[in-house]
């Protein structure tokens, strides 16, 4: 809930003034509240102390009031104080907005040799070359890429299976590198792949251009092969072999993996984590299913409730902490992102946790047919027949995309602080709007937030991590802080979290 003092901006003669704040009663302790500022500073305090605070009953010399002022929740001595620190913190939290989209995804092919029933991409058969990105569209996409102002550009190649159209990956990379001699941007290349078809020639190319590789590993062999079937039943073996080849040439930190959780996955949190440890991986991403592509068609078979996911995650988190206590460093990517929002002053720019939304403001997707989308999810909706969030075509200038009806829809529903229910949520400074997911699940870009899977998952995760951080001993707290600040070893980059391998 949000509370705004009647005298917040009126120059009251009270001994202190309240600054804009929101609060939430802690589900695990109803006698305390979580209180957050406009810029995302926060603290947890007793409910009776909070009531004293908002009723101006705290003594001006109370140490709690000094803490509240330091967190931009109160202003003591308004005659000598300014809003400058609060505004500076808010600007820091939203700093990802200044450069425009930094993540640019090139879908070079929809072809794939897997038949995953949770696939969100709407894959095509390996012989269907009509679903490959052609040379003209690729050249125009590179032109559009450099129309964006961001100094740092992450170029990610996706599919389907992008290695099935490796020639286009090579050509696009070389065009970008050649153009960048004059543009002088900071470039980062990522390829999301099964890694089954890696050749020595491809690895040499990836090494030359310092590529990062991202793949999907759903857990132990029995689970991975069940989730990601091939006729030969060798998906796990080929994935692990591809990872090993990539790590030998590019280095251990250059190859990351993530898991997509089906209903059967929820029965094996420890086994999934132990598999990652066995393979020497130091980061894991426990992703829930998405409502797109084939995943939408098989929801009854593979899907599960948000409550079931959170129960799984609680069990997985405890096992991860135990693994770290044993001396093996491993983080969970989404927890790391949320903890960095809670414990640090900076917004990391991960698409799902941005307000205004990351779709179109933080990421752009160039599809195999030359169509352009503000996010991978918008592309998947279009593959299902709904082009509501299509920005345009690579043959158009970026200015046309920004003036498109799709961007208008995103801007209207993409500022979490202005949305019903979100505007009152104590977690909103650390969260995002994600209008495309709400549109996909509820048929409306704003959606009904109280029944939103997105909101229930985000609030549940924030609650879980806060409760665990508060109750942690020194060892576990250091582990969680290392996740937040990226010191937990091979921390997976947030822009590969959305990779559809």
């Amino acid at each position: 809930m949000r509370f705004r003092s009647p005298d917040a901006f009126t120059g009251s003669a009270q001994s202190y003034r309240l600054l804009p704040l929101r609060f939430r009663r802690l589900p695990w302790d109803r006698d305390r509240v979580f209180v957050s500022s406009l810029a995302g500073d926060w603290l947890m305090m007793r409910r009776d102390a909070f009531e004293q605070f908002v009723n101006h009953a705290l003594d001006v010399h109370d140490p709690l009031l000094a803490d509240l002022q330091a967190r931009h929740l109160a202003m003591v001595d308004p005659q000598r104080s300014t809003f400058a620190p609060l505004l500076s913190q808010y600007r820091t939290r939203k700093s990802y907005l200044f450069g425009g989209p930094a993540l640019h995804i090139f879908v070079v092919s929809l072809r794939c040799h897997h038949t995953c029933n949770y696939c969100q991409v709407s894959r095509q058969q390996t012989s269907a070359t009509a679903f490959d990105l052609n040379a003209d569209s690729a050249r125009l996409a590179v032109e559009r890429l450099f129309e964006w102002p961001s100094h740092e550009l992450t170029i990610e190649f996706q599919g389907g299976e992008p290695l099935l159209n490796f020639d286009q990956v090579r050509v696009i990379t070389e065009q970008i590198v050649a153009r960048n001699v004059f543009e002088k941007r900071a470039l980062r290349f990522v390829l999301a792949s099964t890694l089954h078809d890696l050749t020595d020639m491809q690895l040499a190319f990836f090494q030359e251009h310092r590529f990062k590789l991202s793949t999907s590993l759903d857990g132990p062999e029995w689970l991975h092969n069940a989730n990601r079937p091939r006729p030969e039943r060798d998906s796990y073996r080929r994935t692990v072999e591809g990872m090993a080849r990539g790590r030998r040439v590019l280095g251990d930190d250059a190859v990351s993996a993530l898991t997509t959780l089906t209903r059967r996955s929820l029965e094996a949190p420890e086994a999934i984590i132990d598999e990652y440890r066995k393979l020497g991986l130091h980061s894991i991403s426990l992703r829930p299913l998405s409502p797109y592509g084939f995943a939408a068609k098989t929801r009854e078979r593979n899907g599960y409730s948000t409550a079931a996911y959170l129960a799984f995650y609680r069990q997985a988190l405890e096992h991860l902490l135990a693994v770290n206590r044993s001396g093996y460093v491993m983080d969970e990517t989404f927890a790391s992102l949320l903890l960095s929002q809670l414990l640090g002053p900076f917004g990391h720019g991960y698409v799902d946790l941005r307000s205004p939304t990351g779709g179109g403001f933080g990421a752009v997707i160039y599809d195999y047919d030359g169509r352009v989308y503000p996010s991978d999810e918008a592309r998947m909706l279009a593959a299902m027949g709904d082009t509501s969030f299509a920005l345009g075509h690579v043959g158009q200038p970026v200015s046309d995309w920004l003036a498109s009806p799709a961007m208008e829809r995103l801007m209207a529903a993409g500022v979490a602080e202005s949305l019903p229910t979100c505007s009152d949520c104590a977690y909103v400074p650390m969260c995002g709007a994600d209008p495309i997911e709400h549109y996909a699940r509820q048929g409306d870009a704003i959606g009904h937030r109280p029944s939103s899977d997105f909101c229930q998952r985000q609030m549940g995760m924030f609650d879980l991590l806060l409760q665990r951080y508060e109750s942690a001993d020194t060892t576990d707290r250091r582990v969680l802080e290392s996740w937040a600040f990226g010191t937990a070893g091979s921390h997976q980059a947030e822009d590969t979290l959305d990779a559809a391998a």
Side-chain angles (χ1 to χ4, degrees):
M1 296 182 67
R2 176 177 58 183
F3 181 93
R4 178 168 295 182
S5 168
D7 72 337
F9 300 103
T10 60
S12 166
Q14 298 283 358
S15 59
Y16 59 86
R17 294 168 63 182
L18 305 187
L19 296 179
L21 60 86
R22 300 174 177 90
F23 70 95
R24 171 175 173 78
R25 294 182 180 89
L26 298 180
W28 64 93
D29 186 349
R30 302 298 290 180
D31 290 329
R32 293 189 301 142
V33 294
F34 172 89
V35 189
S36 64
S37 76
L38 185 70
D41 291 295
W42 58 271
L43 81 166
M44 291 185 282
M45 56 194 298
R46 291 194 57 80
R47 183 175 174 181
D48 55 358
F50 178 66
E51 291 175 353
Q52 280 186 296
F53 167 55
V54 298
N55 288 315
H56 294 277
L58 284 182
D59 186 275
V60 72
H61 301 297
D62 191 317
L64 176 59
L65 190 57
D67 199 6
L68 290 161
Q69 185 176 22
R71 298 168 194 266
H72 308 304
L73 293 163
M75 181 183 291
V76 179
D77 192 0
Q79 301 302 318
R80 306 174 106 185
S81 302
T82 72
F83 293 108
L86 172 62
L87 297 177
S88 176
Q89 177 67 22
Y90 189 81
R91 178 184 174 91
T92 298
R93 178 75 69 175
K94 302 292 186 181
S95 59
Y96 51 72
L97 288 171
F98 298 126
L103 175 61
H104 296 261
I105 296 175
F106 289 73
V107 181
V108 295
S109 179
L110 291 188
R111 293 185 287 149
C112 186
H113 29 47
H114 276 78
T115 56
C116 309
N117 54 25
Y118 64 58
C119 179
Q120 59 189 24
V121 177
S122 299
R123 63 189 178 261
Q124 299 295 329
Q125 295 180 349
T126 55
S127 59
T129 56
F131 294 93
D132 286 357
L133 179 66
N134 65 45
D136 287 341
S137 293
R139 177 182 54 80
L140 288 169
V142 172
E143 291 292 323
R144 301 290 86 79
L145 169 71
F146 285 103
E147 288 185 19
W148 296 101
S150 179
H151 176 69
E152 297 181 358
L153 297 173
T154 294
I155 297 94
E156 181 172 324
F157 295 98
Q158 284 194 18
E161 173 50 69
L163 291 181
L164 292 175
N165 193 13
F166 173 74
D167 286 345
Q168 198 59 263
V169 173
R170 176 179 53 78
V171 169
I172 291 171
T173 301
E174 291 174 345
Q175 288 177 349
I176 290 172
V177 169
R179 174 74 177 269
N180 200 51
V181 171
F182 305 100
E183 297 283 351
K184 301 189 184 305
R185 313 286 183 95
L187 301 178
R188 183 173 181 271
F189 292 102
V190 179
L191 182 114
S193 164
T194 63
L195 306 182
H196 289 191
D197 299 312
L198 273 176
T199 66
D200 291 342
M201 178 272 293
Q202 291 168 348
L203 281 169
F205 178 83
F206 295 145
Q207 184 180 41
E208 177 186 358
H209 295 286
R210 293 183 290 183
F211 266 70
K212 303 289 186 182
L213 303 182
S214 174
T215 193
S216 289
L217 180 69
D218 281 1
E221 185 169 8
W222 65 267
L223 178 59
H224 183 90
N225 284 343
N227 282 352
R228 302 178 62 79
R230 283 172 46 90
E232 300 84 356
R233 299 182 181 178
D234 61 354
S235 178
Y236 171 87
R237 176 183 62 80
R238 291 175 63 121
T239 297
V240 171
E241 289 175 354
M243 291 171 61
R245 289 198 303 273
R247 295 170 84 182
R248 281 196 299 270
V249 175
L250 305 178
D252 288 349
D253 290 346
V255 181
S256 62
L258 48 83
T259 179
T260 299
L261 302 168
T262 60
R263 184 179 297 171
R264 62 168 63 90
S265 303
L266 300 192
E267 302 170 1
E270 292 91 352
I272 294 170
I273 292 165
D274 290 345
E275 182 68 28
Y276 272 60
R277 178 178 183 174
K278 182 184 82 173
L279 295 174
L281 295 166
H282 291 277
S283 189
I284 188 170
S285 172
L286 300 171
R287 300 189 309 168
L289 286 174
S290 68
Y292 309 99
F294 290 104
K297 300 176 183 177
T298 61
R299 188 177 302 160
E300 291 300 316
R301 188 184 348 152
N302 288 321
Y304 41 84
S305 67
T306 299
Y309 170 74
L310 292 171
F312 161 88
Y313 196 95
R314 183 180 293 274
Q315 189 175 349
L317 178 61
E318 290 305 317
H319 191 60
L320 271 170
L321 289 172
V323 166
N324 279 271
R325 286 195 298 271
S326 75
Y328 188 87
V329 175
M330 183 186 292
D331 68 14
E332 199 286 314
T333 309
F334 194 58
S336 299
L337 293 168
L338 294 182
L339 286 166
S340 73
Q341 292 287 79
L342 286 167
L343 304 180
F346 300 102
H348 43 59
Y350 173 56
V351 171
D352 288 355
L353 294 173
R354 284 179 57 155
S355 176
T357 179
F361 294 92
V364 179
I365 285 73
Y366 310 94
D367 206 359
Y368 78 96
D369 58 0
R371 297 291 172 185
V372 182
Y373 300 95
S375 72
D376 229 6
E377 292 75 16
R379 170 175 76 99
M380 296 164 195
L381 276 177
M384 296 166 66
D386 189 336
T387 59
S388 298
F389 292 96
L391 296 179
H393 192 272
V394 291
Q396 300 170 282
V398 166
S399 57
D400 285 0
W401 305 346
L402 294 176
S404 67
M407 281 302 293
E408 290 182 6
R409 293 188 188 98
L410 288 172
M411 288 186 284
V415 180
E417 292 86 347
S418 70
L419 298 177
T421 306
C422 287
S423 63
D424 296 328
C425 179
Y427 293 139
V428 74
M430 288 76 73
C431 197
D434 208 348
I436 297 174
E437 173 164 334
H438 283 90
Y439 179 86
R441 290 186 184 272
Q442 297 185 323
D444 181 84
I446 292 176
H448 182 251
R449 315 306 274 204
S451 61
S452 157
D453 287 326
F454 174 86
C455 292
Q456 291 174 13
R457 185 173 66 249
Q458 301 296 79
M459 293 182 71
M461 285 291 293
F462 277 122
D463 284 343
L464 170 59
L465 292 170
L466 272 172
Q467 182 182 12
R468 192 61 184 86
Y469 182 76
E470 185 183 36
S471 65
D473 59 20
T474 301
T475 300
D476 286 352
R477 185 166 289 198
R478 285 176 179 167
V479 170
L480 295 172
E481 289 170 350
S482 74
W483 295 5
F485 301 116
T487 57
S490 180
H491 184 67
Q492 184 177 355
E494 61 266 19
D495 50 55
T496 65
L497 190 60
D498 286 325

